[in-house]
Structure formats: C-alpha cells, structure tokens
Amino acid sequence: QVQLVESGGGLVQAGGSLRLSCAASGSIVGIPHMAWYRQPPGKQRDVVAIITSGGGTHYAESVRGRFTISRDNAKNTLYLYMDSLKPEDTAIYYCNSLPNLGTWGQGTQVTVSS
C-alpha cells in the first residue's frame, strides 16, 4: 500500500507562509486525484485542495487564492504552498487521494497565531 508522510508544518504568524510536503512511498502517477485535507481542532477532516493527474486544481472556498497545490510525479511528492495564513487555518494537515485510501498518516500540525 502507498504510504504518505506529511511534513513542513509549524507555528507561523498571521499573514505568513508555509510549504507543506507529502512524500509517497510509491508512485502517484496513476492516481487521478491527489488532495490535501485538514482537520481543525474539534472539527471534521475535509478537503482543502485537489490536483488531478492532468495538473488541474480545485480549492475550497476558504483557501482559494491563498493556497496552491502542486505535485512532482517523478519524486512522488505532493506540495501545498500556503500564503496569507489566518488563525482559522490552524489544523492538522494530511495528504491523500480523493477518494481517500482509507488510511491516514500522522499529518503535520499548522498553527497560525495572531
């Protein structure tokens, strides 16, 4: 099974930026949709950004214009560049396919302070 390991999270001030990375143990070339999910404290996990096999992208309204998803198939790595961060972006961020694989990594914590 494909293993996904997220990294790059941390503490950042509002208005700052972070780049998250997701390293896959296997090829992601054949996966039609890869996505970043996030789970704020006490809330459900939901999709924030999607990238198709053809490179098309889709974003949740809450992050559109501020986040950019990309992938490097040769490196089997997914990225999420986050700009203009807000306190409400605080969450654990996960990568996965869409639909998800049924299993999740540990995620990476993003905390945005005022």
Side-chain angles (χ1 to χ4, degrees):
Q1 296 182 354
V2 175
Q3 183 179 16
L4 303 168
V5 180
E6 302 90 347
S7 63
L11 176 64
V12 64
Q13 294 184 85
S17 302
L18 282 174
R19 188 188 76 167
L20 307 184
S21 298
C22 171
S25 62
S27 177
I28 62 172
V29 173
I31 301 176
H33 299 79
M34 291 296 296
W36 282 96
Y37 300 72
R38 71 181 181 187
Q39 185 170 25
K43 299 181 180 179
Q44 66 179 332
R45 180 161 45 204
D46 208 351
V47 177
V48 295
I50 304 164
I51 187 165
T52 70
S53 59
T57 58
H58 306 272
Y59 300 92
E61 179 64 27
S62 59
V63 307
R64 187 175 295 116
R66 300 187 298 116
F67 290 12
T68 302
I69 186 172
S70 64
R71 66 181 178 188
D72 187 332
N73 288 336
K75 296 180 179 179
N76 295 319
T77 302
L78 188 72
Y79 301 98
L80 183 68
Y81 179 76
M82 306 183 294
D83 195 16
S84 302
L85 284 162
K86 305 175 180 179
E88 51 263 45
D89 294 320
T90 294
I92 302 175
Y93 285 73
Y94 303 86
C95 63
N96 217 311
S97 61
L98 184 68
N100 69 76
L101 297 168
T103 59
W104 301 85
Q106 291 297 116
T108 185
Q109 176 71 49
V110 172
T111 303
V112 184
S113 63
S114 299

